[in-house]
Every structure is written in structure tokens, then in C-alpha cells.
Amino acid sequence: MAFHVEVDHQKCKGCEECVEVCTVRVFEMQERKAVPVNVKDCFGCQTCVEVCKEKAITVKELEVEMSEIARVLLKDILS
């Protein structure tokens, strides 16, 4: 699974809570704001969302896009 992590820089107050709680170090402070720099490492626990008092962080699961060939093969298998 892959996730999209976004920080609203208008809302972020630079408290660094997300940096401290993220066990896979997705965030880094840049110019006194949290920036998701290692998004590929995010496993979607949403702890950062929970600790953000400003509600500046969103984590969304990305949908897997299938090629047309994969769809045809799956259709044949599931039919």
C-alpha cells in the first residue's frame, strides 16, 4: 500500500509533534514547518494526524491503478 501525506503549511505552527511521533521519519522541519520528505516510508498509521492540534496533516491511501492488461487477466480469472 502507498499513502499520500500532505501538510497544510497555512495551518502548521511548527510544533514538531509529527516529527517526534513518526516512527519511520516521514517528516522533516524546513523553514519552521513540517514537510513530508520520506512519504514512500509511510505505512498509514495516522499517528501524525492524531497529534496535530492544528489539523494540518492529511494521510490518504492511494488507489492502485491497473493496466488494461491486468484488468483483462483478472476478468478472465474471476469469471
Side-chain angles (χ1 to χ4, degrees):
M1 277 185 229
F3 295 89
H4 176 72
V5 181
E6 192 170 319
V7 176
D8 183 334
H9 290 266
Q10 299 278 335
K11 294 179 180 179
C12 179
K13 302 293 184 203
C15 71
E16 298 186 30
E17 290 288 328
C18 56
V19 175
E20 292 176 21
V21 300
C22 184
T23 59
V24 292
R25 300 181 182 184
V26 169
F27 300 96
E28 181 179 286
M29 296 303 291
Q30 294 178 7
E31 297 180 17
R32 304 176 103 173
K33 302 287 182 175
V35 177
V37 292
N38 297 312
V39 177
K40 66 178 179 16
D41 295 333
C42 178
F43 57 88
C45 72
Q46 299 206 20
T47 303
C48 56
V49 174
E50 294 171 15
V51 299
C52 184
K53 294 177 183 132
E54 305 302 324
K55 300 193 184 318
I57 303 171
T58 56
V59 176
K60 296 180 184 174
E61 185 176 352
L62 298 175
E63 292 186 25
V64 177
E65 292 185 32
M66 278 194 259
S67 68
E68 188 59 33
I69 293 170
R71 279 182 247 249
V72 170
L73 290 172
L74 279 174
K75 180 182 173 194
D76 290 344
I77 291 169
L78 299 174
S79 296

